Amino acid sequence: MVRAWTVRGGEQGQREQYALDKGLVIAGWEEVGDLTGCESIDDLGTILARAYSDEPARTVENWKHQLWRFIAMQIDDLVVMPRKFRRVVAIGRLTGPYEYHSDAAPGFRHVRPAEWIRTDVERAAIGGDLRDSMGAFLTVSELSRRNAAQRVQALAETGADPGYDGGVEPPADSDALERDVTEEGTRQLTARDLMSLWGWQRRTAETVDFVDRALAERGMRVDPHFTEVQLDGLVTVSPQTPAVAEQDTKGTTAGGPDTSASGTSADADTDADLSWRIGSLPIADKVVTVSAQAPLGDALLLMVEGDFSQLPVVNQYNVLRGVITWESIAQAQLAERKDTVGEAMDPHPPRTAQTREELFSRIGDIQHRGFLLIVDEENAVRGILTASDLSHQLRLRVEPFTLLEEVERRLRRATGHLTDEDLPDHVRKRSRAGNLSLGQYPFVVADNACWKKLGWPFGQHDMANRLKAVADYRNRLAHWDIDAPDQEAEALVVTRKLLKLLKVVDRDPTP
């Protein structure tokens, strides 16, 4: 079965053109000599440990697996080489076994013969999941999931990615995750599945810190960070260690990560905190767009039918080229430019955002325009966040706090006739009547003497259980997270029902 691999052309893209010109796939590790007789990954590990004796054991282990992949790739396998300073990738097919070119320049000696089928496949044409799985921080990694090999084959033949709509089977546990990352170079899974490997379900500060530490202890990193996507959004886990040993301009070994896949530095600050990120909110991913070459009438039809004030204008790969608005259409008609969408585009660049951006920094744009276009690293339109979406999400997050506040207010009034002496001993030691916390009311209601004095027309144990459930809900909300509305829908219903019961025993004053 044909497999697909990513092999980069050097930390600074120094091997790319030579590889394309000579019909080769090239790896670095110039301190290592001819590996033709290397028969196992363990033999390779011994050679690397001797050649790079000053490097940490974890780094050498990572390099061992990368270089073994390079040697073990089969003839006819597909290879993807992202271009460092261009928004394209080259795709080729291996035509020969591993070779060592001793007369080549250092860093150019470990090679595999290849036929380069396409050298300019636009990265925007590749689905975001497949782009991410190309291993932004590794020189050699396998593309093995979500029909990756078939999709690379389609890209080689047509320049377009057919995509994949299915789910991702998560690793069985954290050990399996580490094993997959070691053997393949990267591992994709959802943010929800990543947290669940350590028994977490909600993205609280404790969860984020724990998972980040657990990944770091195993020498792994996650990109994008699992707080920057929706719970069921994909993240990619890869090794933290340097991608490959390269020579810098002074001739010393430099172990910096290869960032050619994403065009971003591996050292970039991911701001892994609990700020609301645009990507953590539900975003409409079915965005109505129009081509610049389309007749202007097509845009008018879409705008009238959808009651849109603007339409994104995109190319064949959904890359944003501009927007068309009613104002820009009117200006184009006044200037007698009214044939195509491109002639009627707004001359000003559209406001866009990426999923990792902090939400509150862009609220002004949403208020001003009514929506914000969401684009990826290639400027392809991936979604839209509207003012209506934002108001709904704010309501989901604010409503629990307002309900809980009213519950506490009514409880204080409904129990206001209780004195300190009425309270159970263990409650009285901590609080005074009229100043009880929500977590203490279940004990008050469960006390027979208090319950008799309250005189509420409900079942005592049922009411105590309801109060405890709502108090527990409040305690969970106190540990702020970005997913509570989705995770606590049932608890919110319980709170609403409790409030309805409290309104029976705590009637509002008659005006």
Side-chain angles (χ1 to χ4, degrees):
M1 182 180 70
V2 173
R3 299 163 76 178
W5 311 82
T6 296
V7 181
R8 309 198 181 288
E11 188 177 7
Q12 299 301 319
Q14 64 269 28
R15 295 191 291 267
E16 292 176 8
Q17 197 56 52
Y18 185 87
L20 295 175
D21 292 342
K22 301 295 185 180
L24 298 172
V25 178
I26 311 173
W29 291 282
E30 63 187 62
E31 299 297 327
V32 182
D34 190 355
L35 300 174
T36 303
C38 190
E39 296 183 353
S40 72
I41 190 171
D42 292 332
D43 291 344
L44 180 56
T46 301
I47 295 171
L48 282 168
R50 186 165 53 244
Y52 298 103
S53 57
D54 294 334
E55 295 289 347
R58 178 172 282 169
T59 298
V60 174
E61 179 73 10
N62 176 272
W63 289 348
K64 177 183 75 174
H65 283 275
Q66 289 193 68
L67 195 47
W68 182 251
R69 292 181 203 122
F70 186 83
I71 294 172
M73 292 186 299
Q74 299 295 304
I75 295 173
D76 288 331
D77 279 355
L78 296 163
V79 177
V80 178
M81 182 174 68
R83 304 299 300 275
K84 178 67 178 179
F85 298 111
R86 297 179 59 193
R87 292 185 178 275
V88 299
V89 303
I91 300 178
R93 188 181 299 278
L94 294 176
T95 59
Y98 166 83
E99 298 175 2
Y100 183 73
H101 291 184
S102 59
D103 56 344
F108 288 68
R109 294 171 180 169
H110 302 290
V111 304
R112 296 291 301 266
E115 172 195 2
W116 292 105
I117 304 168
R118 285 180 181 262
T119 60
D120 58 354
V121 176
E122 291 194 37
R123 285 212 295 253
I126 307 172
D129 63 320
L130 184 54
R131 266 204 321 267
D132 290 345
S133 68
M134 287 178 180
F137 313 109
L138 298 177
T139 293
V140 186
S141 59
E142 183 172 6
L143 306 172
S144 62
R145 300 179 190 273
R146 294 173 66 85
N147 289 349
Q150 295 94 318
R151 293 165 67 183
V152 172
Q153 178 70 53
L155 283 162
E157 294 173 353
T158 67
D161 177 8
Y164 183 80
D165 294 328
V168 177
E169 186 70 23
D173 50 36
S174 56
D175 289 335
L177 172 65
E178 184 176 5
R179 186 165 56 251
D180 288 346
V181 170
T182 298
E183 294 176 356
E184 300 175 24
T186 63
R187 180 62 157 95
Q188 282 189 325
L189 68 169
T190 66
R192 187 192 304 273
D193 288 336
L194 176 66
M195 294 187 300
S196 69
L197 295 179
W198 286 276
W200 299 94
Q201 299 298 323
R202 297 167 57 224
R203 290 181 286 190
T204 65
E206 184 181 9
T207 302
V208 173
D209 289 343
F210 184 95
V211 175
D212 280 342
R213 284 197 305 270
L215 288 171
E217 288 169 0
R218 291 173 177 264
M220 296 183 291
R221 59 175 294 151
V222 58
D223 188 73
H225 196 267
F226 64 97
T227 59
E228 297 174 7
V229 300
Q230 297 176 49
L231 267 175
D232 293 314
L234 287 178
V235 296
T236 302
V237 181
S238 58
Q240 267 190 338
T241 49
V244 64
E246 304 284 6
Q247 287 295 117
D248 66 17
T249 54
K250 296 180 181 179
T252 57
T253 300
D258 184 342
T259 61
S260 55
S262 64
T264 59
S265 169
D267 297 326
D269 182 10
T270 59
D271 293 327
D273 55 33
L274 286 186
S275 299
W276 284 357
R277 303 287 160 183
I278 290 174
S280 66
L281 300 181
I283 295 172
D285 56 4
K286 304 298 183 184
V287 185
V288 178
T289 61
V290 66
S291 165
Q293 289 73 40
L296 183 56
D298 289 0
L300 291 171
L301 180 64
L302 291 170
M303 292 174 74
V304 171
E305 284 186 335
D307 195 24
F308 301 135
S309 60
Q310 305 182 42
L311 276 183
V313 181
V314 300
N315 72 1
Q316 67 190 96
Y317 300 122
N318 218 38
V319 174
L320 186 63
R321 295 305 188 211
V323 296
I324 186 170
T325 69
W326 289 118
E327 182 180 357
S328 68
I329 291 172
Q331 291 175 347
Q333 290 179 331
L334 287 173
E336 298 186 350
R337 303 188 314 272
K338 52 185 180 181
D339 292 334
T340 66
V341 169
E343 292 176 307
M345 282 200 307
D346 189 321
H348 304 100
R351 293 294 181 93
T352 63
Q354 293 191 3
T355 55
R356 66 179 54 201
E357 292 185 46
E358 194 176 57
L359 173 64
F360 288 112
S361 67
R362 306 307 301 273
I363 281 183
D365 290 328
I366 300 174
Q367 290 175 321
H368 177 64
R369 296 181 175 267
F371 68 92
L372 192 62
L373 289 174
I374 312 304
V375 298
D376 63 14
E377 292 81 0
E378 306 305 323
N379 206 38
V381 177
R382 297 304 180 201
I384 185 170
L385 180 61
T386 68
S388 176
D389 296 331
L390 181 60
S391 64
H392 177 66
Q393 291 300 315
L394 290 174
R395 177 189 171 186
L396 286 176
R397 286 157 170 77
V398 171
E399 184 182 17
F401 295 98
T402 59
L403 286 176
L404 288 165
E405 173 63 26
E406 186 175 359
V407 164
E408 289 198 79
R409 178 169 57 84
R410 290 186 179 275
L411 279 170
R412 283 195 297 272
R413 292 199 317 210
T415 60
H417 59 290
L418 296 179
T419 66
D420 290 350
E421 288 71 24
D422 293 326
L423 300 179
D425 290 342
H426 66 283
V427 174
R428 188 167 58 246
K429 289 178 181 179
R430 294 176 176 270
S431 298
R432 300 177 65 83
N435 193 33
L436 299 174
S437 69
L438 185 56
Q440 291 171 323
Y441 284 108
F443 299 106
V444 171
V445 169
D447 181 81
N448 290 332
C450 286
W451 180 252
K452 184 176 180 180
K453 191 167 184 178
L454 287 173
W456 291 357
F458 310 120
Q460 180 182 5
H461 295 298
D462 177 70
M463 201 64 181
N465 289 336
R466 289 174 185 266
L467 283 165
K468 185 178 186 309
V470 172
D472 290 343
Y473 176 42
R474 197 282 308 271
N475 290 338
R476 293 194 298 273
L477 285 180
H479 300 283
W480 174 253
D481 73 273
I482 58 180
D483 304 309
D486 293 330
Q487 299 294 296
E488 300 284 0
E490 184 176 345
L492 189 60
V493 171
V494 171
T495 304
R496 289 196 187 104
K497 290 181 177 179
L498 175 63
L499 181 58
K500 192 172 182 178
L501 294 175
L502 290 175
K503 288 180 179 180
V504 174
V505 296
D506 174 51
R507 296 185 179 277
D508 291 319
T510 302

